[in-house]
Amino acid sequence: TIIVPLYDYAGEASLTVRFVWSDAGSWASGFAVDNVVVGELADYNVASDKVVFGNWNVSEFEAGLYDFSMVPLTQVSPVAATGVISNNGFLDQTNVSFDLEVFMDGNSQGTWSSDQTVATQESLTKDTLSVVTDFTPSGTGQVSITIMAVSESGDDVADDNDASKSMMITTDVYARDANGAQAFVDPGTAYQFGNLFDIYTTELCGGIQYAVGAGSDEGAFITGWVYDFEGFDDNGDPILGNEFYETTEHMIVAGDLNGVGENNFVTLPFAEGAVELTEGKTYLAVIATNGGNEVVRTPVSGTNSWAASLLFDGEWGWTLSIPMLRLTFDESVAVNEVVAEKNFAMMQNVPNPAIDNTRVMFHLHNAATVNFRVTDITGKVVVEQNRGTLPQGAHKIDLNVSDLPAGIYNYTLTVGDEQLTRQMIVQ
């Protein structure tokens, strides 16, 4: 809700309200305006703009900050809520707070007051208040929260004091999305797109669930990855630790596709069996596409308030739109066969096709000597990097391909006695 004072236009015969929207050259998914009202402000009007699960008054990226729509019973924590409270009145308000009521499957579990109080909230300003309750769900079902804004100054408008939110406690699904495709993201190149997940209890995770957007190419391949997330660096890029897990590759078929409002998910099991996610850590789970001529559109559903969804299409950036990508803690979906494991994993270069710069990410399960080579279609070596001995963990190779002729190239990573080759396109 936005309130714009019109005091300066008093006495004018008419007024035109103009909306200007720009996505700054990016790929924003939409803009909408509704319920425009012109009228007088009440003297006192404290309002609840919205409430979310999570405590915004913790340190950045600390567990408990983020808002989820589905949480496995094994990953529950004491219910926390943050309310955005507005003073929509003409006069300042004193001692503004809110009361929170928590429901489990419609049954009240108690009422709590916000942990903070705004001593003086000026006219037409907002503030965020939080509360951490002592209620932890003990079974699956729907948890709902309702806040009521209160002020010592009084309130002349009572019908905007409440705001509500709900989430599901599930058996094994961990999700941020609103469970229905609202728009679609396709950067037009190879990309990675996914969500951050807090882990409250060390547990085995079976894989990633992903909704494929309508308009994606049948026969295109996608892969899931889970990174150990340690925060953002000074450039805003995510800091990814040594833990690095890959799912099996999935080929998109017609039955996978989702139109607007749909929520059909495919499961990508971890390739080497269920993986252990560690208590107190945050992980970044993404879907990775190969780019080239393959079109893969990701549905987005719901909106982030914090940097909880990340896109890599040549560089990292966080997005307000939430991709329909989840974790499943159903261990049975993971690949159980014993497979010959390489000492490393290598991802598709991003962006692909590449025009000037592209990046190849890889992960070493153990320290090893590493060599990287790019060849053209005749087998001629056009780039070679001997990286020496690298430690266990995640690594990257940045390539400038602006001097290479347009065409198809192979790049090969040699780790000890093992090799893996992928293909990239230079335009």
Side-chain angles (χ1 to χ4, degrees):
T1 301
I2 299 173
I3 296 180
V4 180
L6 302 179
Y7 314 136
D8 293 341
Y9 305 96
E12 296 288 343
S14 62
L15 176 72
T16 299
V17 179
R18 176 172 176 247
F19 298 96
V20 180
W21 168 246
S22 170
D23 64 2
S26 186
W27 42 265
S29 57
F31 177 75
V33 178
D34 195 7
N35 297 340
V36 179
V37 178
V38 179
E40 293 185 2
L41 291 178
D43 284 342
Y44 296 104
N45 181 15
V46 63
S48 297
D49 276 2
K50 68 175 179 179
V51 62
V52 300
F53 286 96
N55 180 7
W56 288 5
N57 290 292
V58 296
S59 302
E60 195 171 10
F61 312 122
E62 182 178 328
L65 170 67
Y66 297 122
D67 191 27
F68 293 94
S69 58
M70 300 181 187
V71 177
L73 182 59
T74 52
Q75 297 298 326
V76 295
S77 60
V79 171
T82 296
V84 180
I85 309 299
S86 291
N87 179 2
N88 292 342
F90 184 72
L91 301 176
D92 295 347
Q93 297 270 13
T94 57
N95 292 330
V96 176
S97 62
F98 69 72
D99 293 327
L100 168 75
E101 189 168 9
V102 179
F103 300 86
M104 185 73 194
D105 289 331
N107 299 312
S108 179
Q109 304 299 311
T111 302
W112 291 261
S113 297
S114 57
D115 294 336
Q116 305 86 29
T117 298
V118 183
T120 301
Q121 187 167 354
E122 297 180 352
S123 172
L124 305 186
T125 62
K126 299 176 186 287
D127 213 324
T128 55
L129 307 175
S130 300
V131 60
V132 179
T133 75
D134 55 8
F135 171 69
T136 301
S138 59
T140 59
Q142 185 182 65
V143 177
S144 301
I145 52 177
T146 299
I147 62 171
M148 174 176 287
V150 294
S151 168
E152 190 178 87
S153 304
D155 197 349
D156 298 327
V157 182
D159 60 2
D160 58 3
N161 289 12
D162 298 349
S164 299
K165 188 75 180 287
S166 63
M167 70 174 175
M168 295 300 300
I169 307 301
T170 69
T171 303
D172 46 48
V173 176
Y174 208 174
R176 315 195 70 89
D177 63 85
N179 203 36
Q182 298 169 347
F184 303 90
V185 169
D186 172 19
T189 183
Y191 67 93
Q192 299 175 47
F193 196 14
N195 298 311
L196 296 175
F197 294 91
D198 297 330
I199 301 300
Y200 293 92
T201 303
T202 298
E203 185 178 5
L204 290 175
C205 183
I208 289 173
Q209 294 183 334
Y210 174 66
V212 184
S216 299
D217 288 341
E218 296 176 36
F221 287 92
I222 53 176
T223 309
W225 297 82
V226 171
Y227 302 96
D228 183 10
F229 173 80
E230 298 179 352
F232 292 103
D233 63 20
D234 292 340
N235 296 320
D237 292 334
I239 302 171
L240 304 178
N242 289 332
E243 293 186 52
F244 188 97
Y245 305 113
E246 181 182 10
T247 71
T248 58
E249 196 171 49
H250 175 80
M251 186 180 73
I252 295 172
V253 298
D256 296 337
L257 305 182
N258 288 268
V260 173
E262 295 181 334
N263 56 3
N264 173 39
F265 285 81
V266 297
T267 298
L268 285 72
F270 289 115
E272 299 171 8
V275 302
E276 186 176 82
L277 303 184
T278 305
E279 176 183 348
K281 289 191 174 184
T282 298
Y283 293 88
L284 172 61
V286 302
I287 197 74
T289 71
N290 292 330
N293 295 322
E294 294 184 349
V295 174
V296 178
R297 303 177 76 216
T298 297
V300 292
S301 177
T303 303
N304 284 306
S305 300
W306 288 88
S309 299
L310 290 158
L311 174 75
F312 181 83
D313 58 352
E315 59 182 17
W316 286 103
W318 77 277
T319 78
L320 289 176
S321 298
I322 302 172
M324 295 179 69
L325 180 143
R326 304 167 171 178
L327 292 179
T328 175
F329 287 89
D330 181 357
E331 299 174 37
S332 67
V333 306
V335 176
N336 294 317
E337 301 87 40
V338 176
V339 296
E341 179 184 348
K342 289 184 178 294
N343 187 33
F344 69 100
M346 179 176 68
M347 299 187 70
Q348 183 69 41
N349 67 296
V350 180
N352 184 43
I355 298 175
D356 44 20
N357 295 298
T358 191
R359 175 177 292 178
V360 177
M361 298 186 67
F362 64 96
H363 182 273
L364 301 181
H365 300 317
N366 298 287
T369 57
V370 175
N371 181 269
F372 181 78
R373 175 180 295 180
V374 180
T375 58
D376 63 19
I377 57 174
T378 70
K380 177 184 176 182
V381 177
V382 295
V383 175
E384 185 162 19
Q385 297 182 13
N386 186 349
R387 305 297 295 268
T389 300
L390 297 179
Q392 174 193 16
H395 302 275
K396 64 184 179 181
I397 296 172
D398 290 315
L399 292 174
N400 186 325
V401 297
S402 58
D403 293 333
L404 295 179
I408 299 175
Y409 293 82
N410 291 319
Y411 59 93
T412 300
L413 189 70
T414 302
V415 176
D417 298 328
E418 300 176 328
Q419 287 187 341
L420 185 61
T421 298
R422 292 187 184 271
Q423 199 173 77
M424 72 175 174
I425 299 172
V426 174
Q427 290 185 337

